[in-house]
């Protein structure tokens, strides 16, 4: 690729008209950058970045004009911007202190057996133990359980609704449990019987009743999920995960409770939630209320709940289609990469202590992510099949 072709493709990408193949080509191209002492070869990178983020602002503003609710629109708008442009922005971020390569260095990387990003896939386990592969299932009715119909929509969501074709118009007197589980490299959405919505991240599992009855709406989570809870002041919604219970009436929040993370993190976006350690003790420190923008940290090793301010963009990055890092250790980054790309990590020698800041789209092949991280310095990756070896660069 020569310099003219690069700028043509870049303009197409900024306009949101590049195909997936062209986006991947552009991202891979960043991995071919090498240092040069010729300052005249430097492009006007600041102007380029301003052009990109002007495009982002226009997209957000146009979305806001069509929506009344600022909060919900903010996240959707940011998602649109991230999907189209954020991957390129991180390439510029890490590249901004490097020189532009000489034309003979414009060589696109040819990565054999590249690893694709994750997508919508999950397995639904019904009460009788039967399993439905949701990525393979056709849209429409998946199953009926009692008076509840389970359907799959064309936007990658399963929905639990009263079966209007059923002769029995009353909710069944008892409820049964279903489980939706995403593998590594998978994600999925589910609309629960009360209308609450759940976005499930990769390597996660959610168990829930087919109909909520009684004095609570309780679900059990392992892994990570974002919740938008349907309000019901008389019946609280409770999420059980690891050593904690999160109790809400109607709100938006995210829970990260992976077993390989040090803490279970609950982040509140809207409304209010109560975080309770499973001991349910009323002793100070066992129960905490969160305000929007706050995050709780719990751990089975400590009998207290820690509260801190949250980076909500970082927390919701997985849901909105990208990774966001801010002084984030490489080990934490690679755990996200491992889950999303369904790979195995191996550290070669000393475990790296490098930290990274920036955005990377999660809709690109793994080679683009690894090359961007390599360009920031400090680490080197080699890929063999589904195994990634990470080495510290001294």
């Amino acid at each position: 690729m020569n310099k003219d072709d690069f700028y043509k493709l870049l303009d197409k990408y900024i306009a949101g008209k590049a195909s997936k193949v062209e986006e991947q080509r552009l991202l891979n191209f960043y991995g071919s950058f090498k240092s040069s002492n010729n300052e005249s070869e430097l492009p006007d990178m600041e102007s380029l970045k301003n052009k990109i983020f002007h495009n982002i602002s226009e997209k957000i503003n146009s979305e806001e004009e069509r929506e009344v609710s600022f909060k919900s629109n903010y996240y959707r708008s940011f998602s649109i911007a991230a999907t189209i442009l954020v991957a390129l922005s991180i390439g510029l971020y890490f590249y901004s202190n490097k020189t532009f390569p000489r034309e003979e260095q414009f060589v696109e990387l040819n990565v054999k057996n590249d690893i694709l990003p994750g997508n919508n896939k999950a397995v639904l386990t019904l009460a009788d133990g039967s399993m439905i592969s949701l990525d393979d299932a056709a849209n429409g009715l998946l199953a009926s359980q009692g008076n509840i119909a389970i359907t799959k929509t064309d936007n990658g969501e399963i929905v639990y609704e009263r079966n209007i074709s059923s002769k029995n118009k009353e909710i069944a007197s008892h409820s049964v449990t279903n489980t939706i589980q995403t593998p590594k490299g998978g994600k999925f959405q589910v609309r629960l019987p009360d209308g609450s919505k759940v976005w499930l991240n990769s390597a996660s599992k959610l168990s829930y009743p087919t109909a909520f009855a009684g004095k609570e709406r309780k679900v059990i989570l392992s892994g990570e999920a974002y919740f938008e809870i349907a309000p019901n002041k008389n019946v609280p919604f409770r999420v059980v995960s690891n050593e904690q219970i999160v109790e809400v009436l109607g709100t938006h929040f995210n829970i990260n409770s992976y077993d390989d993370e040090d803490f279970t993190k609950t982040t509140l976006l809207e409304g209010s939630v109560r975080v309770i350690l499973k001991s349910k003790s009323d002793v100070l420190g066992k129960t905490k209320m969160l305000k929007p923008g706050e995050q709780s940290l719990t751990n089975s090793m400590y009998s207290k709940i820690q509260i801190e301010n949250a980076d909500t963009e970082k927390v919701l990055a997985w849901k909105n289609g990208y990774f966001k890092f801010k002084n984030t250790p490489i080990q934490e980054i690679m755990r996200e990469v491992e889950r999303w790309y369904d790979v195995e990590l191996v550290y070669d020698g000393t475990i790296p202590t490098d930290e990274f800041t920036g955005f990377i789209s999660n809709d690109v092949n793994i080679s683009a992510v690894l090359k961007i991280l390599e360009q920031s310095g400090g680490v080197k990756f080699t890929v063999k099949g589904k195994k990634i070896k990470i080495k510290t660069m001294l």
Side-chain angles (χ1 to χ4, degrees), residues 200-249:
L200 208 60
N201 202 354
S202 55
S204 302
K205 181 169 68 174
L206 185 74
S207 297
Y208 50 89
T210 55
F212 290 113
K215 298 181 179 180
E216 69 174 358
R217 297 171 286 169
K218 186 173 78 171
V219 301
I220 300 173
L221 169 71
S222 64
E224 183 169 23
Y226 172 73
F227 296 82
E228 292 186 354
I229 303 304
N232 187 334
K233 64 181 181 180
N234 298 317
V235 185
F237 193 101
R238 295 188 173 102
V239 183
V240 180
S241 60
N242 283 340
E243 302 300 318
Q244 71 171 32
I245 300 170
V246 174
E247 181 178 274
V248 303
L249 297 177

Side-chain angles (χ1 to χ4, degrees), residues 28 110 133 140 144 156 166 182 201 204 208 216 224 232 237 240 246 267 275 296 309 323 344 364 368 374 384:
N28 285 348
N110 181 17
S133 175
S144 294
S166 173
T182 57
N201 202 354
S204 302
Y208 50 89
E216 69 174 358
E224 183 169 23
N232 187 334
F237 193 101
V240 180
V246 174
T267 308
V275 180
S296 69
N309 292 327
F323 304 106
E344 177 186 353
V364 297
E374 280 188 346
K384 184 177 181 180

